[in-house]
Amino acid sequence: MVADKAVPRLFGTNGVRGVVNSEGMDCQFALRMGMAMGTYMKGSVMIGTDARTSNEMLKSACASGLMATGCTVLDCGIVPTPTLQYAVKKGNVAGGVVITASHNPPEFNGIKAIDPDGTEMSRANEEAIERIFHSGDFTRAEWTRIGRTIPQTTAIERYIGGIMSVVDVAAIRRANLRVAVDCSNGASSLVTPKLLERLGVRYVTLNADPNGAFPGHNSEPTPENVGDLVELVKAGEFDFGFVHDGDADRTIFVDDTGRYLYGDRSLAICAHHICKEKEGRLVVTTVGSSMAVEDAVRMAKGNVIYTAVGSPVVARVMMQKGGIFGGEENGGLIFANFQYCRDGAMAAAKILDIVAKKGKLSKLNDMIPQYHQRKKKTRCPDAKKQVVLSELAISAKGERIDTTDGLKIFFKEGWVLLRPSGTEQIFRIYSESKDPARADELVEQYKKEVEKIVKG
Ligand code: MG
């Protein structure tokens, strides 16, 4: 998808992001964004932040804008994004706002809008806010109707209670599990240790105090950033380890042997065991996900639907088609029986539930076929993106293809996914195969192919 030229786009795949006090992400922007969101939402609005140094500044400005339009601001303080989403879903409010830059470096921050049902805001609603933002046509409440801010203190307790109502607490308690958790100095520091206590799970924490300087490591749970957690799990007696990103909508697991499990592994493990509970269940994931997910679902007699990349798309297709579980390959898992958004603490609770009943995480991982994925990108001007896509489609004639998002070409021994970026002048090339050498070969071959078309 290329940006709409008529209304300059502000929201990316996961809200508006930028470096604080430059790139437009300053208090004036937050104030104006608050006024635009308030004009659109009209009513009570839940607001929360992750643990960044700029949160108070951006939250105050945004809340001022909301109040100027007459909205009541319900301030949940520092909370994981899914905790705020659950508060919105349960709160009968007009919407939500999260001040977060998720896993980005500490100098970043962002603003994300939540629909009244607790899902990430749909693109159509974001466009309506962008139109108001650019037009400057804001509601300006009369002095008697200006909003106020009311602190909320129950969001975390309600969220923990909600998770405990959808997992098998008795089985988890009986299993006497022990885990290591890395909160990445993010918002989960205030939630996940409490949840583990309530579930009767013994735990050791790393980086479990909110600190916007991220002294432990950057808040993206990549293998390079979570070396301490891997070492801790290897050195001790743990059932597994896990790490949340900065706003805790994602979780990455380390199995009992200290192996880092990429997000598609926990996606596949959860999908398999959730589908096993009842035949014919539906799992939703993006075209970028590993074949391991489809294999795991089929082994449990379930079905998979593929969507375009982006968790809001996955969540909406789950709602429309009755998907029981879904997610992305980056550790963002969505549980329909809890809420339609990526949820880091819920993912940890579900894996605890599965391990309590089915045994070691390393064994559960080994049951599912192993694939190798490769990701590359190359420069491609916006004007050339469609040409590249059509020429690639012509050259793929005769092969099985999927055009849900970009072009996916299936081969006997794997696939390639070719996608123009919606926000940058780049083309992404992904490949996957059970044979690592073939995955390398496919990604290189198609990167060259894209570059050739761009040049020509
Ligand atoms: Mg995140």
Side-chain angles (χ1 to χ4, degrees):
M1 198 189 326
V2 178
D4 182 348
K5 292 283 184 289
V7 183
R9 194 166 168 170
L10 298 169
F11 292 98
T13 323
N14 283 295
V16 197
R17 299 251 177 100
V19 172
V20 171
N21 277 344
S22 66
E23 293 186 6
M25 189 50 67
D26 57 11
C27 53
Q28 282 156 317
F29 175 80
L31 175 71
R32 201 175 161 89
M33 187 48 106
M35 291 187 82
M37 290 193 291
T39 301
Y40 177 76
M41 289 179 181
K42 302 184 185 75
S44 296
V45 178
M46 292 272 183
I47 196 165
T49 75
D50 65 17
R52 288 166 191 271
T53 57
S54 52
N55 279 333
E56 283 300 324
M57 175 189 88
L58 293 175
K59 182 178 76 177
S60 305
C62 191
S64 287
L66 287 162
M67 289 186 285
T69 67
C71 287
T72 301
V73 177
L74 304 172
D75 182 2
C76 296
I78 296 179
V79 282
T81 297
T83 307
L84 194 281
Q85 289 180 270
Y86 192 69
V88 170
K89 177 184 156 181
K90 292 287 179 186
N92 191 27
V93 290
V97 178
V98 197
I99 308 294
T100 177
S102 180
H103 56 276
N104 287 150
E107 63 272 24
F108 281 77
N109 213 333
I111 300 175
K112 182 167 176 161
I114 306 299
D115 271 331
D117 62 2
T119 58
E120 291 175 89
M121 186 168 273
S122 71
R123 185 61 206 136
N125 295 352
E126 284 179 347
E127 271 170 18
I129 292 173
E130 285 166 352
R131 242 175 268 126
I132 298 167
F133 180 97
H134 292 298
S135 73
D137 195 6
F138 304 126
T139 302
R140 288 169 197 271
E142 274 178 53
W143 68 274
T144 53
R145 293 182 175 275
I146 286 175
R148 60 198 183 108
T149 293
I150 306 171
Q152 302 293 296
T153 54
T154 57
I156 290 175
E157 269 309 308
R158 282 181 89 174
Y159 173 69
I160 290 175
I163 292 176
M164 292 182 60
S165 73
V166 294
V167 294
D168 191 339
V169 177
I172 295 171
R173 286 198 178 131
R174 261 197 315 273
N176 192 29
L177 301 171
R178 184 165 184 261
V179 299
V181 52
D182 184 343
C183 294
S184 305
N185 296 110
S188 65
S189 308
L190 304 176
V191 172
T192 301
K194 269 189 198 160
L195 171 67
L196 293 173
E197 245 154 66
R198 298 273 294 279
L199 290 171
V201 173
R202 294 170 297 144
Y203 62 92
V204 174
T205 59
L206 285 175
N207 309 311
D209 55 315
N211 185 333
F214 301 139
H217 55 76
N218 262 355
S219 66
E220 165 106 72
T222 55
E224 308 76 61
N225 283 337
V226 301
D228 288 347
L229 177 69
V230 168
E231 288 313 311
L232 177 64
V233 173
K234 277 184 181 165
E237 290 287 310
F238 292 100
D239 289 288
F240 60 88
F242 63 98
V243 52
H244 297 301
D245 73 327
D247 67 329
D249 55 352
R250 293 194 282 139
T251 303
I252 286 288
F253 293 86
V254 173
D255 76 12
D256 43 288
T257 67
R259 259 186 310 180
Y260 176 100
L261 304 184
Y262 281 91
D264 52 17
R265 304 307 296 176
S266 46
L267 184 63
I269 292 165
C270 284
H272 179 75
H273 291 279
I274 289 171
C275 286
K276 258 194 140 173
E277 290 163 9
K278 198 172 158 205
E279 201 169 309
R281 283 186 157 176
L282 188 63
V283 168
V284 180
T285 192
T286 76
V287 286
S289 283
S290 170
M291 276 302 291
V293 178
E294 190 172 325
D295 290 353
V297 170
R298 295 214 181 288
M299 279 156 58
K301 298 193 164 60
N303 296 302
V304 176
I305 292 186
Y306 288 106
T307 69
V309 169
S311 58
V313 188
V314 175
R316 266 162 226 290
V317 171
M318 284 173 70
M319 290 166 94
Q320 288 156 7
K321 308 270 184 184
I324 182 78
F325 174 70
E328 300 175 301
E329 88 296 351
N330 61 8
L333 309 185
I334 306 173
F335 300 85
N337 66 342
F338 186 47
Q339 58 175 347
Y340 288 99
C341 66
R342 289 177 298 186
D343 195 318
M346 178 62 213
K350 188 67 192 180
I351 291 284
L352 282 164
D353 182 319
I354 296 170
V355 168
K357 292 169 177 164
K358 308 285 175 188
K360 290 192 183 310
L361 188 55
S362 56
K363 198 187 78 190
L364 302 177
N365 181 50
D366 290 339
M367 275 172 49
I368 294 163
Q370 191 66 244
Y371 288 84
H372 300 271
Q373 230 181 59
R374 302 287 182 262
K375 295 182 180 183
K376 297 235 161 171
K377 57 187 177 186
T378 187
R379 257 194 66 78
C380 175
D382 285 340
K384 285 237 168 151
K385 284 173 177 171
Q386 282 313 315
V387 181
V388 174
L389 265 184
S390 359
E391 292 204 17
L392 287 168
I394 293 167
S395 73
K397 226 173 143 196
E399 308 287 353
R400 182 185 149 209
I401 61 164
D402 179 331
T403 55
T404 305
D405 192 353
L407 175 70
K408 190 172 181 179
I409 312 169
F410 295 86
F411 306 98
K412 212 165 68 206
E413 67 295 348
W415 53 258
V416 284
L417 173 63
L418 308 145
R419 281 181 63 233
S421 162
T423 49
E424 295 170 80
Q425 309 232 0
I426 58 172
F427 219 94
R428 298 182 195 281
I429 302 113
Y430 301 166
S431 73
E432 186 180 87
S433 174
K434 279 187 178 167
D435 173 6
R438 182 63 181 141
D440 287 332
E441 209 175 271
L442 278 171
V443 81
E444 282 306 330
Q445 179 194 334
Y446 277 88
K447 183 167 175 272
K448 279 190 195 129
E449 189 103 356
V450 171
E451 285 164 350
K452 204 174 86 191
I453 303 171
V454 169
K455 264 193 209 140

